[in-house]
């Protein structure tokens, strides 16, 4: 049976993926899309690494911690970039990325 920390982590990873996908979609609708290019790229990378990490955690992979370190790094970069933009979706994405990085760090500390 999964621990509460693992269940929470899986939920937070999916939540972050969703926030990043939504942020990238809305950034693509901005008038000056070029200005949002780095945000969009990091959103997409973050969404992908969050889903990969969730899969590794769900299957209790021996490689979960390795992937999780990358997830933390990308979440932190995405948070930093999204904070530069005033759009509500960017700020919500930044919050989700921060929460995800913290949940990953907490999970790793328990292992």
């Amino acid at each position: 049976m999964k621990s509460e920390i693992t269940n929470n982590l899986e939920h937070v990873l999916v939540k972050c993926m969703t926030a990043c996908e939504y942020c990238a979609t809305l950034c693509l609708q901005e008038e000056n899309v070029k200005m949002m290019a780095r945000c969009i790229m990091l959103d997409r990378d973050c969404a992908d690494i969050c889903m990969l990490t969730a899969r590794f955690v769900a299957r209790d992979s021996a490689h979960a911690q390795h992937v999780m370190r990358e997830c933390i790094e990308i979440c932190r970069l995405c948070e930093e970039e999204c904070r530069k933009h005033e759009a509500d979706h960017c700020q919500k994405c930044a919050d989700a990325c921060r929460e995800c990085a913290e949940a990953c760090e907490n999970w790793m500390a328990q292992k």
Side-chain angles (χ1 to χ4, degrees), residues 90-103:
C90 286
Q91 294 304 308
K92 286 181 179 175
C93 184
D95 290 344
C97 289
R98 184 192 70 248
E99 181 183 8
C100 189
E102 289 172 356

Side-chain angles (χ1 to χ4, degrees), residues 13 48-57 59 61-74 104 107-108:
L13 285 161
D48 287 347
I49 195 70
C50 285
M51 285 316 305
L52 180 64
T53 303
R55 287 184 188 109
F56 275 51
V57 169
R59 67 176 75 124
S61 171
H63 303 283
Q65 287 192 16
H66 172 75
V67 173
M68 197 166 296
R69 283 190 286 278
E70 293 301 315
C71 187
I72 292 166
E73 180 180 336
I74 294 171
C104 288
W107 187 86
M108 287 181 67

Side-chain angles (χ1 to χ4, degrees), residues 6-51:
T6 299
N7 283 332
N8 179 61
L9 174 62
E10 290 171 348
H11 171 77
V12 170
L13 285 161
V14 172
K15 179 179 165 186
C16 187
M17 180 278 300
T18 304
C20 288
E21 289 288 355
Y22 185 68
C23 185
T25 297
L26 293 183
C27 285
L28 285 167
Q29 297 172 16
E30 293 284 337
E31 217 169 284
N32 186 356
V33 175
K34 266 192 161 173
M35 182 186 81
M36 303 304 289
R38 179 161 166 77
C39 189
I40 294 164
M41 289 189 304
L42 282 167
D43 282 337
R44 294 176 71 209
D45 286 351
C46 194
D48 287 347
I49 195 70
C50 285
M51 285 316 305

Side-chain angles (χ1 to χ4, degrees), residues 77-97:
L77 291 171
C78 192
E79 175 191 7
E80 183 181 314
E81 180 60 31
C82 283
R83 291 275 179 232
K84 295 177 184 177
H85 307 286
E86 292 181 18
D88 188 51
H89 60 86
C90 286
Q91 294 304 308
K92 286 181 179 175
C93 184
D95 290 344
C97 289

